[in-house]
Amino acid sequence: MSDKTGPMFSIVCATYNRADLLPRAIDSVLAQSFRCWELIIVDDGSTDNTPLMIQRYLSDARIKYIKNDSNNGVGYCRNMGIKTSQAQWVVLLDSDNAFLPT
């Protein structure tokens, strides 16, 4: 798949109250040399600053944000992200983790 037909990889990142750690995860995706991806952030009902922090990243059309009204657990969030994905391949990224460059 190319950028014209959609992403090759969907990166699903479930998060809950990680406004302080989530930028590291998102920035590690943005730093990749491979550009044909979408990042789906599924917020599991965070009560901290997560929704506000994510706003600065949403100008990139490859980044999608889903906010649950209540806390449903990481499995639920990952499944929601996978159902939303548009790519052939799905990669999971924990919100307190980061990808290495390239």
Side-chain angles (χ1 to χ4, degrees):
M1 294 178 112
S2 70
D3 287 332
K4 294 179 183 177
T5 60
M8 182 176 284
F9 291 95
S10 292
I11 303 159
V12 176
C13 182
T15 190
Y16 177 71
N17 286 344
R18 294 282 175 93
D20 57 333
L21 296 173
L22 192 54
R24 178 176 173 249
I26 297 171
D27 290 339
S28 77
V29 173
L30 290 169
Q32 296 303 303
S33 57
F34 185 80
R35 310 298 296 163
C36 192
W37 51 260
E38 67 177 347
L39 173 60
I40 303 166
I41 302 165
V42 184
D43 182 349
D44 201 19
S46 291
T47 57
D48 67 355
N49 227 13
T50 297
L52 182 61
M53 184 281 306
I54 288 176
Q55 291 303 311
R56 67 180 168 188
Y57 292 101
L58 296 181
S59 61
D60 188 322
R62 298 171 298 171
I63 299 176
K64 296 161 183 67
Y65 177 60
I66 300 168
K67 174 131 171 63
N68 294 336
D69 292 330
S70 61
N71 186 270
N72 296 293
V74 69
Y76 178 91
C77 292
R78 287 177 176 165
N79 285 332
M80 180 180 281
I82 291 167
K83 287 178 189 174
T84 304
S85 72
Q86 307 257 328
Q88 179 179 0
W89 303 99
V90 175
V91 177
L92 301 176
L93 174 63
D94 291 335
S95 59
D96 64 345
N97 212 336
F99 288 147
L100 295 175
T102 68

